[in-house]
Amino acid sequence: MKTLHILNGDATLAIFKQTTFEGDILVWREILSEGPVSKTNLWATRAKWIGSNFGETEANYANKVLDEVEKLKGVKAYDEVVLWFEYDLVCQINLIYILSLLKDMETQDLPIYLICPDRFEGIANFRGLGELNASQLTQLYSSRNKLNTSDLNIASRAWNRYTENNPSVIQTLLQEDFGNLHLLKKALLAHLLRFPNPDTKLNYIEETLLSIIHKGITKRTDIYESFWLKEPIFGITDFQIDFMLSQLEANGFIENGMLH
């Protein structure tokens, strides 16, 4: 049995290497939930945005991201695919893109399994696979769900509508049956909160960060923890929060020098 394991990032990879699972590994390192996406010319769009906002060179982007994406082209050489992803918005958007690719590659005869927990017994405020040890990661394998054609179809529709950047089309999608992608609906509801409030011109994440700061929490590490505890569904990292805080500061919503 030749297996391709698709992991949601390097945090999971570090633990996965300690297990006895056999097969090849593809590490997904993009954050398609942040910044522009496109139905055409996606990778050029992403490379440009990542480079201008996070200082990543084209060469590094190609090495870290595109070389891994390239592995999907050989997916038909495998007997099965196992996707290890999480419940948050970042993971769910990456997941629907990958599944839409697999659908377009006509992999209907290829067994595709999803491991996607939103909780783990004994771990309060569970945030993701990177918190688990090798034994706990192994336990999850028996809970994997086999995806069907309907699941791939809903993923493809969700990705196509996500790229339109229009809340009304997402609202329409929420009326559909999500099948084995049962955590996708909650993530898309979170995505709707990222569209600006017409009154404040800020989205829910920005308003939440400002609310934390207005409570007197101005140390960046404390801001991260406060946000993650309150809103784990968004799945954003400290790096992404820093970017948003910089934007808020540049636009005058946070006084210069307030954060430390």
Side-chain angles (χ1 to χ4, degrees), residues 8-9 28-37 42-43 46 49-50 53-54 61 65 88-91 93-95 97 159 162 194 234-237 239-241 243-244:
N8 68 313
W28 193 265
R29 297 190 175 104
E30 247 287 6
I31 47 169
L32 296 175
S33 60
E34 296 294 324
V37 291
L42 174 66
W43 299 116
R46 294 300 301 170
W49 185 78
I50 293 287
N53 287 282
F54 300 109
Y61 183 80
V65 177
D88 59 69
L89 177 62
V90 171
C91 264
I93 298 303
N94 286 335
L95 176 63
Y97 173 72
W159 170 252
Y162 179 80
R194 301 195 302 168
F234 292 102
I236 58 178
T237 65
F239 200 60
Q240 292 166 275
I241 292 176
F243 179 75
M244 294 180 195

Side-chain angles (χ1 to χ4, degrees), residues 174-194:
L174 292 174
Q175 309 308 312
E176 298 195 26
D177 180 4
F178 284 77
N180 288 307
L181 304 179
H182 58 282
L183 297 176
L184 177 57
K185 183 174 184 177
K186 187 175 180 181
L188 290 175
L189 284 168
H191 172 53
L192 289 175
L193 295 174
R194 301 195 302 168

Side-chain angles (χ1 to χ4, degrees), residues 18-30:
Q18 299 172 27
T19 71
T20 58
F21 289 122
E22 296 182 352
D24 295 335
I25 298 171
L26 185 164
V27 183
W28 193 265
R29 297 190 175 104
E30 247 287 6

Side-chain angles (χ1 to χ4, degrees), residues 19-168:
T19 71
T20 58
F21 289 122
E22 296 182 352
D24 295 335
I25 298 171
L26 185 164
V27 183
W28 193 265
R29 297 190 175 104
E30 247 287 6
I31 47 169
L32 296 175
S33 60
E34 296 294 324
V37 291
S38 169
K39 293 180 183 178
T40 60
N41 209 27
L42 174 66
W43 299 116
T45 300
R46 294 300 301 170
K48 181 178 179 181
W49 185 78
I50 293 287
S52 22
N53 287 282
F54 300 109
E56 190 67 271
T57 66
E58 273 189 43
N60 282 343
Y61 183 80
N63 180 54
K64 292 178 183 177
V65 177
L66 299 185
D67 285 355
E68 293 296 304
V69 175
E70 191 73 11
K71 294 178 182 178
L72 281 174
K73 291 184 178 179
V75 73
K76 290 185 179 180
Y78 293 92
D79 299 307
E80 64 174 6
V81 173
V82 182
L83 298 117
W84 301 75
F85 279 75
E86 294 164 1
Y87 62 90
D88 59 69
L89 177 62
V90 171
C91 264
Q92 291 294 304
I93 298 303
N94 286 335
L95 176 63
I96 60 175
Y97 173 72
I98 294 169
L99 292 178
S100 71
L101 279 185
L102 293 175
K103 173 185 176 294
D104 291 343
M105 295 170 72
E106 299 181 355
T107 53
Q108 59 266 25
D109 296 325
L110 176 67
I112 299 172
Y113 297 93
L114 175 63
I115 296 171
C116 187
D118 60 350
R119 60 180 60 86
F120 195 92
E121 187 175 353
I123 299 181
N125 302 315
F126 175 67
R127 292 182 185 172
L129 300 173
E131 292 184 301
L132 305 180
N133 58 37
S135 175
Q136 291 169 323
L137 207 62
T138 301
Q139 288 177 43
L140 287 176
Y141 195 73
S142 61
S143 67
R144 67 195 185 279
N145 285 323
K146 186 176 183 181
L147 303 183
N148 55 43
T149 301
S150 177
D151 298 322
L152 268 61
N153 285 339
I154 187 65
S156 182
R157 287 197 296 277
W159 170 252
N160 286 333
R161 294 187 185 185
Y162 179 80
T163 62
E164 293 181 33
N165 198 34
N166 184 332
S168 64

